[in-house]
Amino acid sequence: MISDLTVVGSVGLIALAVLYNTGMFGLSRRSHRRTGEQPRPRLYVFILACLNEEKVIAASLSRITSLRGDNFVAMVIDDASDDGTAQVVRDIGSPKVALYQRKLPNARRGKGAALNAGLRRLREARIIQHYDPHDVIICVVDADGRLDPHILQEVNPHFDDPATGAVQVGVRMYNRKQGLLARLQDMEFVVYGDIFQSARRHIGSVGMGGNGQFMRLSALDSLPGEPWSDCLTEDLDLGVRLLAEGWNNVHCLTAAVHQQAVLSLGRLLRQRSRWFQGHMQAARLAPLILRKIAPRPAVDLLYHLSSPVLLLLTSLLPLSFLLALIGVGVASVSAGHLLLSPWWLPWFYLMTFGVASAYTHVYRKREPDLGFLRCVLLGHVYVLYGYIWFVSGWWAVGRTIRGRQTWLKTART
């Protein structure tokens, strides 16, 4: 009886994942019509929350200050770094760059707290007082984020629609050629942006990422309390709350922010465990979604919030499959003949690697120089790479049980 329930549950989880992924892929292939009114002069403010980022902050600021146009400034929030982050920013000496240094004990309370403090400081600055909050666009960039030179020209038309509260650009890895692990992270973000975020444009459930998120100041002002929460994935939290207040979130496919891929497996697991734990914390948004968001995007958002539970359950499938295969092998030896039909092999391949073809198609459009066969192989490896979420998920569960809620900062190189 228990084994039958396990089989039914396993098949159900696989079918649910296949149906959802297939549907999202189909939606992502549809074109999206942009609506809006006449363009208005806008001020873009790039906010970079930094904690010990002296290795990467100079290159990021260099990319920002070299953007085309003069309608932007950058604010670096030094969250009580104990390295040379603040001095690196001072040495840049650009009128486009402002430094705001936070001190202990108020500093180092998480990325969300640093961003909220920076926004409060910005509201006191004279530079935004000449603009309507509807025309001030706040962009959160990670300390290692390098923006495309044309990013303002691509993002700005989306804000011509007065209902647009936020725009999320694509995310790429600028060191994607430094080994297989970096390449797989780049593929992961391309797949997420070009399939899932693109599909959510049609559903109305586009999410915000922690890097390259553009938001109207008036949209942030409309949120109850502080814009960014203490959730470990404060970006996910913010995106849902904007939707709940009636704003539209948009995904921009034509520009990206490039960040540093993690080059060691240990650091990658550490980073993903923080993301996973943040997604578990975000379950508290479910009542808000049910109460204030339309049914169609609400269903997708609730499915997205349930992903930690689904991933943890799915993580048991490979182990149960392996144990079953060993059991069949032992029984076959005892019986003197093979007890398993060879027809299970095509089925197993299709269920395990069937999505690799879609991922290969999407990624090769972004990286045509990789070649077809290499990209196909990469798509298969990418499916196996997804298993790191299983390890990260159980690590996050352990941290939650032990009451550890601190920000696991990703170390830069």
Side-chain angles (χ1 to χ4, degrees):
M1 179 66 178
I2 295 177
S3 61
D4 291 343
L5 289 175
T6 301
V7 170
V8 171
S10 301
V11 172
L13 278 175
I14 293 172
L16 180 64
V18 169
L19 285 173
Y20 179 76
N21 291 342
T22 302
M24 296 299 271
F25 179 76
L27 272 178
S28 70
R29 301 305 94 187
R30 290 173 52 188
S31 60
H32 183 74
R33 181 177 298 176
R34 185 188 301 168
T35 60
E37 51 188 28
Q38 289 298 318
R40 293 159 55 110
R42 299 185 181 98
L43 175 68
Y44 284 80
V45 182
F46 297 97
I47 297 182
L48 298 88
C50 299
L51 175 59
N52 297 333
E53 300 285 10
E54 66 175 353
K55 295 178 181 178
V56 294
I57 188 63
S60 298
L61 288 175
S62 175
R63 293 292 284 265
I64 290 175
T65 54
S66 63
L67 292 173
R68 295 194 293 270
D70 57 0
N71 60 331
F72 65 89
V73 293
M75 172 188 281
V76 177
I77 306 166
D78 180 26
D79 206 30
S81 298
D82 49 26
D83 66 352
T85 297
Q87 190 57 50
V88 170
V89 176
R90 289 192 194 97
D91 290 344
I92 289 174
S94 171
K96 292 284 190 183
V97 178
L99 174 64
Y100 170 38
Q101 287 187 272
R102 303 186 73 213
K103 305 293 183 183
L104 295 171
N106 295 323
R108 296 197 180 191
R109 295 179 179 270
K111 184 179 178 181
L115 292 172
N116 288 326
L119 192 58
R120 288 194 296 269
R121 181 65 170 258
L122 180 66
R123 287 193 177 103
E124 300 168 359
R126 272 187 271 179
I127 189 170
I128 70 169
Q129 291 175 0
H130 303 293
Y131 287 85
D132 186 312
H134 204 67
D135 298 321
V136 176
I137 311 299
I138 308 297
C139 176
V140 175
V141 183
D142 284 353
D144 64 332
R146 302 180 184 180
L147 300 166
D148 280 341
H150 61 288
I151 199 161
L152 294 182
Q153 287 70 35
E154 296 299 323
V155 167
N156 197 56
H158 291 287
F159 285 106
D160 292 340
D161 182 351
T164 297
V167 176
Q168 175 64 51
V169 301
V171 179
R172 301 294 305 271
M173 304 295 127
Y174 62 72
N175 59 337
R176 56 185 172 272
K177 295 181 181 179
Q178 288 186 258
L180 179 61
L181 196 61
R183 176 64 74 177
L184 290 168
Q185 289 170 69
D186 186 58
M187 187 173 188
E188 179 180 21
F189 278 90
V190 167
V191 165
Y192 179 71
D194 287 13
I195 295 180
F196 296 97
Q197 288 280 66
S198 293
R200 288 178 179 134
R201 295 181 304 171
H202 303 282
I203 299 173
S205 56
V206 169
M208 292 293 101
N211 201 4
Q213 51 178 323
F214 293 76
M215 298 141 300
R216 284 191 204 271
L217 182 57
S218 57
L220 296 178
D221 288 343
S222 72
L223 298 175
E226 301 273 29
W228 289 277
S229 70
D230 59 355
C231 181
L232 289 173
T233 46
E234 77 294 326
D235 47 356
L236 168 63
D237 190 278
L238 176 64
V240 172
R241 291 168 61 221
L242 285 171
L243 292 172
E245 291 302 315
W247 295 96
N248 294 334
N249 295 342
V250 177
H251 179 65
C252 177
L253 280 166
T254 53
V257 58
H258 302 252
Q259 65 187 36
Q260 188 179 92
V262 179
L263 298 180
S264 75
L265 184 59
R267 287 180 176 177
L268 183 64
L269 290 171
R270 178 185 175 94
Q271 179 193 68
R272 300 310 162 88
S273 71
R274 171 169 59 87
W275 294 358
F276 197 100
Q277 192 174 2
H279 270 71
M280 291 193 294
Q281 292 173 346
R284 64 192 182 188
L285 295 169
L288 177 67
I289 293 170
L290 290 170
R291 190 172 65 251
K292 299 192 71 174
I293 296 179
R296 189 182 184 191
V299 169
D300 183 62
L301 289 169
L302 291 173
Y303 179 85
H304 184 58
L305 291 183
S306 70
S307 58
V309 175
L310 296 175
L311 273 168
L312 291 174
L313 291 174
T314 305
S315 71
L316 303 176
L317 298 183
L319 179 61
S320 61
F321 175 78
L322 181 62
L323 292 175
L325 203 59
I326 293 173
V328 170
V330 172
S332 297
V333 170
S334 301
H337 61 88
L338 187 64
L339 298 177
L340 189 65
S341 168
W343 286 107
W344 73 272
L345 281 171
W347 180 87
F348 173 76
Y349 176 83
L350 184 63
M351 290 296 100
T352 305
F353 297 105
V355 294
S357 58
Y359 297 158
T360 298
H361 169 74
V362 168
Y363 192 61
R364 190 159 184 260
K365 289 180 72 175
R366 293 286 184 179
E367 295 284 299
D369 294 339
L370 277 179
F372 177 73
L373 290 178
R374 187 180 175 191
C375 218
V376 168
L377 179 60
L378 190 66
H380 284 68
V381 176
Y382 176 74
V383 173
L384 300 177
Y385 161 82
Y387 282 32
I388 67 167
W389 282 105
F390 298 160
V391 180
S392 299
W394 287 109
W395 185 0
V397 169
R399 283 178 50 82
T400 302
I401 292 173
R402 297 194 304 273
R404 299 183 64 185
Q405 307 290 333
T406 52
W407 180 18
L408 290 175
K409 182 182 177 298
T410 303
R412 313 291 187 195
T413 57

